[in-house]
Amino acid sequence: MQLTNMQFILFTMLIPCTISAFFVYLVILFAKRHNLYDDVGGRKIHTGKIPRLGGVGFFSAFALSVFIVYFKFPSNIVITRQFTAIIVGGCLIFFMGLWDDLKNWRAIYKLIVQLIAAGIVAYAGFRFTRISFGPIGLFIPFGIFAYPITILWIAGVTNAVNLMDGIDGQVGCLSVSLLISYIILFFKDSSPHFSMIYTCIILAAAIIGFLFFNLSRPKAKIFMGDAGSQFLGFVLAILPLVPRNDGYETAALPFAIIFMMLPIFDMIAAIWRRIRDKKPIREGDRLHLHHKLMLIGYSPRGALVTVMILQIIIDIFVTLAVISQGLMALVTLIGLSLVGILFFTLIHFEKEKHLAHDGTSIPKNTQ
């Protein structure tokens, strides 16, 4: 069967989105029947019984869609050793997250699985190899440190994205926006990565199918759970590591960090709070970025819009910086870093002011 490029792209968008919406609906029915609801209290801001296995729906739709596309159109997605490593590592992360959703696994066991999955993809060739800004002559190879840097990056981003999953739609929308950015970067390579382009389109479409239920009104019908958020974090960590035609990674480490600035800064702030307050690092709290925005008066939907506007601005400028390289790229990254630091600092002090003045509590999620 022969399809034009546009027809094939529409196919890879429509089919996963439809399958995902159907699977997520089935998961909602299954979760209600077996009383599989998200916990209430702690750092959670929702009320009522809401299933948390949405990741099962969109992951299954993604996997099935990739399978259909590969066997129906084998010339479009090429299964290589590296592609297989992504599949194996992604499945490990997904099933680890699913087990945690059902049984609340210990943090150390989850970290071990994350490190194993990261090691698999690093060994397959997905590694940060250098820091480079092209024409300005800054070139710092990582050498033997490429493996530990890459493994720590993947595990760190996987956890950072998981921590961002605190309000309806946040991780899903963040993931779709970043997937679009990497689709552009893969397409701009001298030899476009069509396998990765189609895979990213399929995943973005599957997430959109989930968002139909996660962003529904008056409140979410389902959450993605750790199975979904950790899998998406793992994928987002790998995308900058995909080798370009020249053998180097799609986005060098500085670009990759700024792409993920919001979840990374949020995770660093969370770790610092717990060290400062002499609490276990794994202990949750209600002072993540979305919590702080809600403390200073934003609704859950308003907090989502604020975070996404900033993320989209980051995506646009970092994508342009990766394409342009050189001095302009360096200036862009420094500028975005300063904006991110300023944003987190202002939100922090606004939160402290509200807590000091009136002891405002975080509003419940009544979207």
Side-chain angles (χ1 to χ4, degrees), residues 238-301:
I238 292 173
L239 292 180
L241 302 169
V242 175
R244 298 190 316 239
N245 192 46
D246 62 6
Y248 293 107
E249 56 271 31
T250 293
L253 185 58
F255 300 102
I257 289 173
I258 303 303
F259 260 135
M260 301 298 300
M261 180 169 62
L262 296 183
I264 288 174
F265 279 14
D266 189 50
M267 181 177 69
I268 292 172
I271 293 173
W272 167 248
R273 283 194 305 273
R274 290 157 198 176
I275 292 175
R276 179 197 62 193
D277 298 335
K278 296 181 174 56
K279 294 180 179 179
I281 291 178
R282 66 179 182 275
E283 181 178 309
D285 61 28
R286 298 177 70 180
L287 290 173
H288 289 283
L289 176 59
H290 47 277
H291 294 132
K292 292 176 181 177
L293 288 169
M294 293 166 68
L295 274 170
I296 65 178
Y298 285 85
S299 67
R301 194 59 58 96

Side-chain angles (χ1 to χ4, degrees), residues 26-312:
L26 293 181
V27 170
I28 292 173
L29 297 180
F30 177 84
K32 288 182 176 179
R33 181 172 182 177
H34 295 277
N35 204 35
L36 299 173
Y37 297 111
D38 194 31
D39 298 329
V40 178
R43 72 184 184 97
K44 304 299 178 72
I45 62 174
H46 69 278
T47 57
K49 294 182 176 181
I50 301 177
R52 63 171 177 177
L53 297 176
V56 175
F58 72 74
F59 174 84
S60 302
F62 167 70
L64 178 60
S65 298
V66 170
F67 181 84
I68 292 172
V69 169
Y70 173 69
F71 282 98
K72 188 67 175 176
F73 310 98
S75 62
N76 293 104
I77 292 186
V78 180
I79 301 298
T80 62
R81 181 172 68 96
Q82 291 179 328
F83 196 86
T84 302
I86 296 177
I87 294 172
V88 173
C91 286
L92 275 175
I93 294 294
F94 169 76
F95 286 112
M96 176 270 291
L98 178 59
W99 182 262
D100 188 49
D101 284 332
L102 298 173
K103 299 293 183 179
N104 288 321
W105 223 16
R106 289 182 61 185
I108 185 63
Y109 297 147
K110 291 189 287 185
L111 179 60
I112 290 172
V113 174
Q114 291 166 355
L115 293 175
I116 292 172
I120 290 172
V121 296
Y123 180 76
F126 294 95
R127 293 186 295 276
F128 286 121
T129 57
R130 60 176 184 166
I131 292 179
S132 172
F133 290 105
I136 68 170
L138 178 58
F139 182 91
I140 305 174
F142 288 137
I144 62 172
F145 297 105
Y147 280 98
I149 288 172
T150 301
I151 290 171
L152 290 176
W153 160 262
I154 295 174
V157 170
T158 300
N159 284 296
V161 172
N162 182 48
L163 290 175
M164 286 284 285
D165 188 24
I167 54 176
D168 299 345
Q170 185 162 249
V171 166
C173 292
L174 178 96
S175 299
V176 171
S177 72
L178 283 163
L179 285 166
I180 292 171
S181 296
Y182 280 107
I183 288 170
I184 295 170
L185 293 179
F186 294 144
F187 188 77
K188 291 293 291 184
D189 193 7
S190 58
S191 179
H193 293 271
F194 285 110
S195 290
M196 290 306 302
I197 290 170
Y198 296 137
T199 302
C200 289
I201 292 173
I202 290 170
L203 181 55
I207 296 169
I208 291 170
F210 160 77
L211 289 174
F212 289 149
F213 297 92
N214 185 237
L215 284 175
S216 61
R217 290 185 178 274
K219 63 181 181 179
K221 301 282 192 302
I222 192 168
F223 300 144
M224 68 171 60
D226 278 8
S229 61
Q230 297 228 15
F231 171 72
L232 291 180
F234 180 77
V235 172
L236 294 177
I238 292 173
L239 292 180
L241 302 169
V242 175
R244 298 190 316 239
N245 192 46
D246 62 6
Y248 293 107
E249 56 271 31
T250 293
L253 185 58
F255 300 102
I257 289 173
I258 303 303
F259 260 135
M260 301 298 300
M261 180 169 62
L262 296 183
I264 288 174
F265 279 14
D266 189 50
M267 181 177 69
I268 292 172
I271 293 173
W272 167 248
R273 283 194 305 273
R274 290 157 198 176
I275 292 175
R276 179 197 62 193
D277 298 335
K278 296 181 174 56
K279 294 180 179 179
I281 291 178
R282 66 179 182 275
E283 181 178 309
D285 61 28
R286 298 177 70 180
L287 290 173
H288 289 283
L289 176 59
H290 47 277
H291 294 132
K292 292 176 181 177
L293 288 169
M294 293 166 68
L295 274 170
I296 65 178
Y298 285 85
S299 67
R301 194 59 58 96
L304 171 64
V305 171
T306 301
V307 170
M308 285 313 303
I309 289 174
L310 185 55
Q311 181 62 50
I312 290 170

Side-chain angles (χ1 to χ4, degrees), residues 350-360:
E350 278 295 309
K351 177 265 297 181
E352 291 294 318
K353 184 169 67 176
H354 277 73
L355 288 177
H357 285 182
D358 52 24
T360 304

Side-chain angles (χ1 to χ4, degrees), residues 3-14 197-198 201:
L3 295 179
T4 67
N5 286 339
M6 183 56 67
Q7 287 174 328
F8 187 76
I9 289 173
L10 289 174
F11 177 84
T12 56
M13 291 175 62
L14 215 58
I197 290 170
Y198 296 137
I201 292 173

